[in-house]
Amino acid sequence: MNPDAPFDLIVHGATGFTGRLIAEHLLARHGADSSIRWGMSGRSADKLATVRDEIGAPESLPLIIADAADPASLDAMVRQTKAVITTVGPYQLYGEPLVAACAAAGTDYLDLAGEPLWMAAMIEKHDAAAKASGARILFSCGFDSIPFELGVFHVQSLARRLLGASAPRVAGRVRDMKGGLSGGTAASGRATMAAIQANPGLLATMFDPFALTPGFKGAEQPRGDKPRHDDLIGEDVGPFMMAAINTKNVHRSNLLQGLPYGADFQYDEMAIVQPGVQTEFPSLSAEDAPAPGEGPSREERETGYYDLLFVAVAADGRQVRGSVHGDRDPGYASTSKLIAETALCLIEAPDVAGGIWVPGAALGQRLVDRLSSHAGLTFRDETAG
């Protein structure tokens, strides 16, 4: 982090759908708060000014011109701020120049990446530089994967309190959800599929639950790719599309925390199958999939939600249960609050060392508390219920 930078936070990609929502959240929370110095960044000064006017921000809100195709503009931007939020994806197409600039400058970086092939490559290429400069680089700061990573963190905290130790097995289950993925997520998924088609060898990374834990391989993991009856919860379950990234982030979180869940920790993630309940996202290739920059109406965003169950199982079979509930649709309104508040939490945590992180591993209970207070997440103990 650059402690003497003139800005605390810059939202890069603020003219996009999700970037604009992030700016709206920051304006609502800190519009008149001079202690938070933030601005918006993008390729077009005119579009940035339009967004600033449309969201009701003052003319004094700084606008910064920066473009992934112009490395000098990225370098200039990151040296002005403690942290950058970027929504400019797919990250495998546009993300690396900004990661590299932040890692070199010691500037904190947060994104919404759910692209494990790209994330694995960035860890290999830029983790050492980030550690050297002090830059804290946080991937996956939206619906993928904060509610899932913190859901495991939460239920393991319950296990230590109620069972006396962390549990070697956790099952994540999507109980209910209203809302869909964002246009950026859909585009990222299509870009990942195109990369695999061009290089089939990348499939091994996609199927490896430890693809984001270089140098560490844990126990064989439960499969979540086929519908089945789940005896653990007494419900039918099916594959959940985001599990491919969330499970990898959970294992990276365990590693970065020093393996508090154990070296043989097992985690799987599936959706409870209930008639009339949407627990799966639409196909990435569907003709009606959202395009980048598109999204649902305000009413649709505000009436969306998600409800996640986490069951921790001790070696002797005893269980504890925790849940995470989000009060807005996962792909847009909740995601924009999650990444904005995570950035502010990170800025206030100078004790976190440099390197490529996932949010829960970096910020732990501080992030649980902040998201509970300011981002609409509710963490519950359902062990007795």
Side-chain angles (χ1 to χ4, degrees):
M1 184 170 67
N2 295 320
D4 300 323
F7 294 107
D8 293 304
L9 180 62
I10 291 174
V11 180
H12 183 55
T15 58
F17 196 93
T18 305
R20 176 178 174 141
L21 293 178
I22 294 167
E24 287 181 348
H25 179 77
L26 290 171
L27 182 66
R29 287 262 288 124
H30 298 288
D33 185 354
S34 60
S35 66
I36 302 295
R37 303 160 298 172
W38 67 283
M40 302 191 302
S41 172
R43 293 180 296 175
S44 167
D46 290 342
K47 290 182 179 179
L48 285 169
T50 298
V51 169
R52 182 177 60 187
D53 294 342
E54 289 178 350
I55 67 175
E59 290 188 6
S60 59
L61 182 70
L63 307 178
I64 299 99
I65 308 305
D67 186 345
D70 180 3
S73 71
L74 296 180
D75 289 339
M77 175 179 68
V78 304
R79 294 184 186 280
Q80 297 180 66
T81 186
K82 295 177 181 177
V84 176
I85 288 174
T86 176
T87 64
V88 180
Y91 296 99
Q92 61 199 279
L93 301 181
Y94 308 113
E96 184 174 3
L98 185 53
V99 171
C102 287
T107 299
D108 294 343
Y109 166 104
L110 304 93
D111 71 19
L112 300 172
E115 305 171 37
L117 300 177
W118 178 77
M119 293 161 63
M122 294 302 96
I123 292 167
E124 180 179 357
K125 295 174 70 173
H126 299 293
D127 187 41
K131 288 176 177 176
S133 71
R136 288 88 59 85
I137 295 176
L138 273 61
F139 295 145
S140 304
C141 297
F143 180 64
D144 53 330
S145 299
I146 283 180
F148 300 91
E149 185 199 354
L150 289 185
V152 175
F153 179 90
H154 169 58
V155 81
Q156 290 285 25
S157 296
L158 294 176
R160 287 190 291 274
R161 178 166 60 86
L162 300 174
L163 304 179
S166 296
R169 163 97 167 89
V170 170
R173 299 292 181 258
V174 181
R175 287 194 294 206
D176 198 359
M177 184 171 69
K178 181 182 179 185
L181 50 71
S182 71
T185 298
S188 294
R190 289 191 292 268
T192 296
M193 287 189 284
I196 291 172
Q197 289 172 349
N199 182 2
L202 295 175
L203 269 175
T205 301
M206 284 299 294
F207 287 127
D208 180 5
F210 300 99
L212 302 182
T213 60
F216 173 76
K217 294 287 184 182
E220 185 175 351
Q221 298 296 302
R223 293 183 60 169
D225 58 340
K226 293 182 180 180
R228 61 179 174 86
H229 184 76
D230 185 1
D231 293 332
L232 195 61
I233 61 171
E235 302 272 5
D236 291 335
V237 295
F240 180 57
M241 191 189 80
M242 309 310 295
I245 177 60
N246 293 336
T247 52
K248 293 176 177 60
N249 277 326
V250 166
H251 287 298
R252 180 164 178 79
S253 182
N254 184 34
L255 178 66
L256 291 176
Q257 293 178 76
L259 299 175
Y261 312 152
D264 295 326
F265 174 65
Q266 293 180 307
Y267 175 68
D268 73 308
E269 197 171 281
M270 302 187 77
I272 296 174
V273 179
Q274 299 179 21
V277 175
Q278 177 199 343
T279 52
E280 180 58 281
F281 289 131
S283 168
L284 294 174
S285 59
E287 292 182 0
D288 59 351
E294 296 180 350
S297 67
R298 180 176 296 274
E299 180 182 2
E300 290 171 325
R301 299 194 303 269
E302 293 183 351
T303 58
Y305 59 87
Y306 49 92
D307 181 36
L308 313 174
L309 172 68
F310 297 88
V311 182
V313 185
D316 61 7
R318 290 180 299 160
Q319 294 184 15
V320 294
R321 298 187 175 205
S323 64
V324 179
H325 182 86
D327 71 342
R328 295 290 187 269
D329 82 290
Y332 297 92
S334 183
T335 279
S336 61
K337 293 193 295 182
L338 293 175
I339 193 170
E341 293 299 333
T342 300
L344 296 175
C345 190
L346 182 65
I347 291 167
E348 297 171 3
D351 56 304
V352 176
I356 296 183
W357 290 90
V358 281
L363 297 166
Q365 189 62 41
R366 286 178 288 191
L367 188 57
V368 171
D369 295 341
R370 188 176 196 105
L371 299 181
S372 299
S373 298
H374 300 301
L377 289 195
T378 303
F379 295 83
R380 297 188 177 98
D381 176 3
E382 298 191 9
T383 303

